[in-house]
Coordinates of all heavy atoms in Angstrom, one line a residue:
A1 N 67.6 106.7 185.4 CA 66.4 107.0 185.9 C 65.4 107.4 184.7 O 64.2 107.0 184.7 CB 66.4 108.2 186.8
V2 N 65.9 108.2 183.7 CA 65.0 108.4 182.6 C 64.7 107.2 181.8 O 63.5 107.1 181.3 CB 65.7 109.4 181.7 CG1 65.0 109.7 180.4 CG2 65.8 110.9 182.5
V3 N 65.5 106.4 181.5 CA 65.3 105.1 180.8 C 64.3 104.3 181.5 O 63.3 103.7 181.0 CB 66.6 104.3 180.5 CG1 66.2 102.9 180.0 CG2 67.4 105.1 179.5
L4 N 64.4 104.2 182.9 CA 63.4 103.4 183.7 C 62.1 104.0 183.6 O 61.0 103.3 183.5 CB 63.9 103.2 185.1 CG 65.1 102.3 185.3 CD1 65.6 102.4 186.7 CD2 64.7 100.9 184.9
L5 N 61.9 105.4 183.8 CA 60.7 106.1 183.6 C 60.0 105.8 182.3 O 58.8 105.5 182.2 CB 60.9 107.5 183.9 CG 61.0 108.0 185.2 CD1 61.4 109.5 185.3 CD2 59.7 107.7 186.0
C6 N 60.8 106.0 181.3 CA 60.2 105.7 179.9 C 59.9 104.2 179.7 O 58.8 104.0 179.1 CB 61.3 106.2 178.8 SG 61.5 108.0 178.7
A7 N 60.7 103.4 180.2 CA 60.3 101.9 180.1 C 58.9 101.6 180.9 O 58.1 100.9 180.4 CB 61.4 101.0 180.6
A8 N 58.8 102.2 182.0 CA 57.5 102.1 182.8 C 56.3 102.6 182.1 O 55.2 102.0 182.1 CB 57.8 102.6 184.2
A9 N 56.5 103.8 181.4 CA 55.4 104.5 180.8 C 55.0 103.9 179.4 O 54.0 103.7 179.0 CB 55.6 105.9 180.6
L10 N 56.2 103.5 178.6 CA 56.0 103.1 177.2 C 56.2 101.7 177.0 O 55.9 101.2 175.9 CB 57.0 104.0 176.3 CG 56.9 105.4 176.4 CD1 58.1 106.2 175.8 CD2 55.5 106.0 175.9
G11 N 56.7 100.9 178.0 CA 57.0 99.5 177.7 C 58.4 99.3 177.2 O 59.1 100.3 176.8
T12 N 58.9 98.2 177.1 CA 60.2 97.8 176.6 C 60.1 97.1 175.3 O 59.1 96.3 175.1 CB 61.0 97.0 177.6 OG1 60.2 95.8 177.9 CG2 61.3 97.7 178.9
P13 N 61.0 97.3 174.3 CA 60.9 96.6 173.0 C 61.2 95.1 173.2 O 62.1 94.8 174.0 CB 62.0 97.3 172.3 CG 63.0 98.0 173.2 CD 62.1 98.3 174.4
T14 N 60.5 94.3 172.5 CA 60.6 92.9 172.6 C 61.2 92.2 171.4 O 61.5 91.0 171.3 CB 59.3 92.2 172.9 OG1 58.3 92.6 171.9 CG2 58.8 92.6 174.2
T15 N 61.4 93.1 170.2 CA 61.9 92.5 169.0 C 63.0 93.5 168.5 O 63.0 94.7 168.9 CB 60.8 92.5 167.9 OG1 60.3 93.7 167.7 CG2 59.7 91.4 168.3
I16 N 63.9 93.1 167.6 CA 64.9 93.8 167.0 C 64.2 94.5 165.8 O 63.6 93.8 165.0 CB 66.1 93.1 166.7 CG1 66.7 92.5 167.9 CG2 67.1 93.9 166.0 CD1 67.9 91.7 167.7
T17 N 64.4 95.8 165.6 CA 63.8 96.5 164.5 C 64.6 96.3 163.3 O 65.8 96.5 163.2 CB 63.8 98.0 164.9 OG1 63.0 98.2 166.1 CG2 63.1 98.8 163.7
S18 N 63.9 95.9 162.1 CA 64.5 95.9 160.9 C 64.6 97.2 160.2 O 63.8 98.1 160.5 CB 63.7 95.0 160.0 OG 64.1 95.1 158.6
L19 N 65.7 97.4 159.4 CA 66.0 98.7 158.9 C 64.9 99.1 157.9 O 64.6 100.3 157.6 CB 67.4 98.7 158.1 CG 68.5 98.7 159.0 CD1 69.8 98.7 158.1 CD2 68.6 100.0 159.8
S20 N 64.3 98.1 157.3 CA 63.1 98.4 156.4 C 61.8 98.8 157.1 O 61.0 99.3 156.5 CB 62.8 97.2 155.5 OG 62.5 96.1 156.4
D21 N 61.7 98.6 158.4 CA 60.6 99.1 159.2 C 60.8 100.2 160.1 O 60.0 100.5 161.0 CB 60.1 97.9 160.1 CG 59.7 96.7 159.3 OD1 59.3 96.8 158.2 OD2 59.8 95.5 159.9
V22 N 61.9 101.0 159.9 CA 62.2 102.0 160.8 C 61.1 103.1 160.8 O 60.7 103.5 161.9 CB 63.5 102.7 160.4 CG1 63.8 104.0 161.1 CG2 64.7 101.8 160.6
Y23 N 60.6 103.4 159.8 CA 59.5 104.5 159.6 C 58.3 104.1 160.3 O 57.6 104.8 161.0 CB 59.3 105.1 158.3 CG 60.5 105.8 157.8 CD1 61.4 105.2 156.9 CD2 60.9 107.1 158.2 CE1 62.6 105.9 156.4 CE2 61.9 107.7 157.8 CZ 62.8 107.1 157.0 OH 64.0 107.8 156.5
V24 N 57.8 102.8 160.1 CA 56.7 102.2 160.9 C 56.8 102.3 162.3 O 55.9 102.7 163.0 CB 56.3 100.9 160.3 CG1 55.3 100.1 161.0 CG2 56.1 100.8 158.8
I25 N 57.9 101.9 162.8 CA 58.3 101.8 164.2 C 58.2 103.2 164.8 O 57.7 103.5 165.9 CB 59.6 101.1 164.5 CG1 59.6 99.7 164.0 CG2 60.0 101.2 166.0 CD1 58.7 98.7 164.6
R26 N 58.9 104.2 164.1 CA 59.0 105.5 164.5 C 57.5 106.1 164.6 O 57.2 106.9 165.5 CB 59.7 106.3 163.5 CG 60.4 107.6 164.1 CD 61.2 108.3 163.1 NE 62.5 107.7 163.0 CZ 63.5 108.1 162.2 NH1 63.2 108.9 161.2 NH2 64.6 107.6 162.3
L27 N 56.6 105.8 163.7 CA 55.3 106.3 163.7 C 54.4 105.7 164.8 O 53.8 106.3 165.5 CB 54.5 105.9 162.4 CG 53.1 106.4 162.2 CD1 53.1 107.9 162.3 CD2 52.5 105.9 160.9
R28 N 54.7 104.4 165.1 CA 54.0 103.7 166.3 C 54.5 104.4 167.6 O 53.7 104.6 168.5 CB 54.3 102.2 166.3 CG 53.5 101.4 165.3 CD 53.6 100.0 165.6 NE 53.5 99.2 164.3 CZ 54.1 98.2 164.0 NH1 55.2 97.7 164.6 NH2 53.9 97.6 162.8
F29 N 55.8 104.6 167.6 CA 56.4 105.3 168.8 C 55.8 106.6 169.0 O 55.4 107.0 170.2 CB 57.9 105.4 168.7 CG 58.5 105.9 170.0 CD1 58.6 105.2 171.2 CD2 59.1 107.2 169.9 CE1 59.1 105.9 172.3 CE2 59.6 107.7 171.0 CZ 59.6 107.1 172.2
R30 N 55.6 107.4 168.1 CA 55.0 108.7 168.2 C 53.5 108.7 168.7 O 53.1 109.4 169.5 CB 55.0 109.4 166.8 CG 56.4 110.1 166.6 CD 56.4 111.0 165.3 NE 57.7 111.2 164.8 CZ 58.1 111.5 163.7 NH1 57.3 111.4 162.7 NH2 59.3 111.8 163.4
E31 N 52.8 107.7 168.1 CA 51.4 107.5 168.5 C 51.4 107.0 170.1 O 50.5 107.6 170.8 CB 50.8 106.5 167.7 CG 50.5 106.9 166.3 CD 50.0 105.7 165.4 OE1 50.0 104.6 165.8 OE2 49.7 106.0 164.2
Q32 N 52.3 106.2 170.4 CA 52.3 105.8 171.8 C 52.8 106.9 172.7 O 52.2 107.0 173.8 CB 53.4 104.5 171.9 CG 53.3 103.9 173.2 CD 54.1 102.6 173.3 OE1 54.9 102.4 172.5 NE2 54.1 101.9 174.4
L33 N 53.7 107.7 172.3 CA 54.3 108.9 173.0 C 53.1 109.8 173.3 O 53.0 110.5 174.3 CB 55.4 109.5 172.3 CG 56.3 110.4 173.2 CD1 56.8 109.7 174.4 CD2 57.4 110.9 172.3
A34 N 52.2 110.0 172.3 CA 51.1 110.9 172.4 C 50.1 110.5 173.4 O 49.3 111.3 174.0 CB 50.4 111.1 171.1
S35 N 50.1 109.2 173.8 CA 49.0 108.7 174.7 C 49.5 108.7 176.2 O 48.7 108.4 177.1 CB 48.7 107.2 174.4 OG 49.8 106.3 174.6
V36 N 50.7 109.1 176.4 CA 51.3 109.2 177.8 C 51.4 110.6 178.2 O 51.3 111.5 177.4 CB 52.5 108.4 178.0 CG1 52.4 106.9 177.7 CG2 53.7 109.0 177.1
P37 N 51.6 110.9 179.5 CA 51.7 112.3 179.9 C 52.9 113.1 179.1 O 53.9 112.4 178.8 CB 52.0 112.3 181.3 CG 51.5 111.0 181.8 CD 51.5 110.1 180.6
G38 N 52.6 114.3 178.9 CA 53.5 115.1 178.1 C 55.0 115.2 178.5 O 55.9 115.4 177.7
V39 N 55.2 115.0 179.8 CA 56.6 115.0 180.3 C 57.5 114.0 179.7 O 58.7 114.2 179.5 CB 56.6 114.9 181.8 CG1 56.2 113.5 182.3 CG2 58.0 115.3 182.4
F40 N 56.8 112.8 179.2 CA 57.7 111.9 178.6 C 58.3 112.3 177.2 O 59.4 111.9 176.7 CB 56.9 110.5 178.5 CG 56.7 109.9 179.8 CD1 55.6 110.0 180.5 CD2 57.7 109.1 180.4 CE1 55.3 109.5 181.7 CE2 57.6 108.6 181.7 CZ 56.3 108.8 182.3
G41 N 57.5 113.2 176.5 CA 58.1 113.8 175.2 C 59.4 114.5 175.6 O 60.3 114.4 174.8
Y42 N 59.3 115.3 176.6 CA 60.6 115.9 177.0 C 61.7 115.0 177.5 O 62.8 115.2 177.1 CB 60.3 116.9 178.2 CG 59.4 118.1 177.8 CD1 58.2 118.2 178.2 CD2 60.1 119.1 177.0 CE1 57.5 119.4 177.9 CE2 59.2 120.2 176.7 CZ 57.9 120.3 177.0 OH 57.2 121.4 176.7
L43 N 61.3 113.9 178.2 CA 62.4 112.9 178.7 C 63.1 112.3 177.4 O 64.2 112.1 177.4 CB 61.7 112.0 179.6 CG 61.3 112.5 180.9 CD1 60.6 111.3 181.7 CD2 62.4 113.0 181.7
V44 N 62.2 111.9 176.4 CA 62.8 111.3 175.3 C 63.7 112.3 174.5 O 64.8 111.9 174.0 CB 61.7 110.8 174.3 CG1 62.2 110.4 173.0 CG2 60.9 109.6 174.9
G45 N 63.3 113.6 174.4 CA 64.1 114.7 173.8 C 65.4 114.8 174.6 O 66.4 114.9 174.0
W46 N 65.4 114.8 176.0 CA 66.5 114.9 176.7 C 67.5 113.7 176.5 O 68.7 113.9 176.4 CB 66.2 115.0 178.3 CG 65.8 116.5 178.6 CD1 64.8 117.2 178.1 CD2 66.6 117.4 179.3 NE1 64.7 118.4 178.6 CE2 66.0 118.7 179.3 CE3 67.8 117.3 179.9 CZ2 66.4 119.7 180.0 CZ3 68.3 118.5 180.7 CH2 67.6 119.6 180.6

């Protein structure tokens, strides 16, 4: 249920992340997480 909620709000990944891009992907994810309701921050933490 949590994965489906997060996928509905944040979308699903379409590419495999390279190890050299981990920090860029993480920064984009934080920006995207800030644009959705705050409950999703808790869901990701859980």
Side-chain angles (χ1 to χ4, degrees):
V2 170
V3 167
L4 289 173
L5 280 171
C6 288
L10 302 169
T12 55
T14 55
T15 58
I16 296 175
T17 303
S18 168
L19 286 178
S20 60
D21 295 336
V22 169
Y23 292 104
V24 174
I25 300 295
R26 204 178 275 175
L27 181 60
R28 281 191 207 140
F29 180 71
R30 284 187 188 150
E31 291 170 355
Q32 190 177 7
L33 196 58
S35 67
V36 296
V39 70
F40 289 99
Y42 289 109
L43 290 176
V44 169
W46 277 71

